[in-house]
Amino acid sequence: MVRWFKPFVFLACLIPLARLGWKAYAGLLGANPIEVITHSTGDWLLIFLLVTLAVTPLRKLTGQLWLIRYRRMFGLFAFFYGVLHFLTYIWLDKFFDLHEMLADIAKRRFITVGLAGFVLLIPLALTSTKGWIRRLGGRRWQNLHRLIYLSAIAGVIHYYWLVKADVRKPLQYAFVLALLLGYRLWVWAWPKLRLREKSSPLATREEASGS
Ligand code: HEM
C-alpha cells in the first residue's frame, strides 16, 4: 500500500512548483514575479519543515507506523523548496552580486537568520540516505538530524522578522512549531519527572505507609 501510494505523494509534493511554473508560463505572476516566487517557495519550505516534524508525533499518537516511510521524502522536499527559495534570492533577486548579498546579510537580520536556517538543512539533506545512517550510527545520525528543530525555529523567526505589519501568519506557524517541539519535550521529560517523583523521599515514605 505504502509503495503504491508513494509516487502519488511525491507528485502531490511537486504541485506547488507546478502551480508556480504554470503561473509563470501564463504570465499570472503579477507585477512583481520575483516576490511571488520568493514568497511561494519560502512558504512551502516552511510547510514541508513542519510536515516533516509532524510525522513522528502523528505516528506515535495514531499508531500508524507506516507514516515514518514518508518522513525522508517530506524532509527532502523541504530542502528542495529551500534550494529554490535560496536560488530565487541569489539569482533572480541579486543576480549573483556577492557584494550586495553580503551587505544584505549584514544589514537585514531576517536574511541572516534565514540563511542560517537554510545552511542547517544542508548536512541533513546530504546524510539522508541509508548509507549515511549506517556510517554515522543510528544515535549520532539522530542527533545530527535534530538540527531540523533549529532550522525550523530560524525559519519562523526569519518570517516573523520580515513581515512589516501583519504578523498573524508567522505567529500561526510559530504556534504549530511550538506544539510539535513541545510534544518532543514532553516525551523526553515525562519519564524523567516520573522517575524523580517515584524516587523522592516523600513518595518512598508514602509508599511504605501504604497511603
Ligand atoms: C529555513 C530557511 C528559510 C525559511 C523556512 C524561509 C521561509 C520564508 C517564508 C515563509 C517567507 C515569506 C513567505 C510569504 O510571505 O508568504 C520568506 C520570504 C523571504 N525569504 Fe526566506 N526562508 C528561509 C531562508 C531564506 C534564505 C536563505 C534567504 C536568502 C538568503 C531568504 C530570503 C527571503 C526573502 C528575500 C523573502 C521575501 C522578503 C520580503 O518580502 O521582503 N529566505 N522566507
Side-chain angles (χ1 to χ4, degrees):
M1 151 86 175
V2 172
R3 227 160 42 133
W4 279 98
F5 203 52
K6 238 180 177 175
F8 290 104
V9 178
F10 183 88
L11 289 177
C13 293
L14 283 171
I15 290 175
L17 178 64
R19 234 179 107 231
L20 212 50
W22 162 249
K23 278 187 172 178
Y25 174 74
L28 297 172
L29 287 179
N32 193 343
I34 297 174
E35 194 178 291
V36 175
I37 298 172
T38 309
H39 285 199
S40 171
T41 49
D43 262 337
W44 284 103
L45 159 57
L46 198 46
I47 290 168
F48 275 109
L49 277 179
L50 295 179
V51 169
T52 309
L53 283 171
V55 169
T56 297
L58 272 180
R59 182 182 61 117
K60 289 195 176 150
L61 294 173
T62 63
Q64 301 293 322
L65 302 182
W66 54 270
L67 283 170
I68 200 72
R69 304 238 191 136
Y70 291 93
R71 193 173 58 176
R72 183 162 71 130
M73 193 201 289
F74 293 143
L76 285 173
F77 266 107
F79 183 66
F80 173 66
Y81 282 101
V83 170
L84 295 181
H85 190 60
F86 184 59
L87 278 178
T88 311
Y89 175 77
I90 62 167
W91 186 4
L92 303 181
D93 199 5
K94 301 291 174 206
F95 293 107
F96 299 106
D97 185 337
L98 194 64
H99 211 72
E100 208 186 314
M101 281 189 276
L102 288 176
D104 214 16
I105 292 168
K107 199 175 66 194
R108 299 207 282 178
R109 57 181 187 165
F110 82 85
I111 295 285
T112 321
V113 76
L115 194 62
F118 177 65
V119 168
L120 288 173
L121 288 178
I122 296 172
L124 307 195
L126 292 179
T127 60
S128 67
T129 58
K130 281 191 184 131
W132 270 104
I133 301 180
R134 224 178 309 115
R135 236 167 283 162
L136 288 174
R139 192 110 216 100
R140 269 204 302 174
W141 184 88
Q142 218 177 2
N143 283 339
L144 175 71
H145 279 248
R146 291 205 170 110
L147 285 179
I148 192 177
Y149 305 159
L150 291 182
S151 176
I153 292 170
V156 167
I157 295 173
H158 164 76
Y159 193 6
Y160 184 80
W161 276 350
L162 75 87
V163 292
K164 271 126 205 144
D166 189 356
V167 290
R168 267 178 306 176
K169 228 175 123 192
L171 284 183
Q172 283 165 6
Y173 280 123
F175 177 70
V176 175
L177 180 62
L179 282 182
L180 295 171
L181 297 185
Y183 170 83
R184 285 168 168 85
L185 193 66
W186 173 257
V187 166
W188 173 79
W190 179 239
K192 291 182 176 55
L193 287 175
R194 294 264 305 180
L195 203 70
R196 200 185 300 169
E197 224 171 69
K198 269 194 183 158
S199 59
S200 82
L202 190 65
T204 324
R205 229 179 296 146
E206 273 172 7
E207 255 168 44
S209 67
S211 61

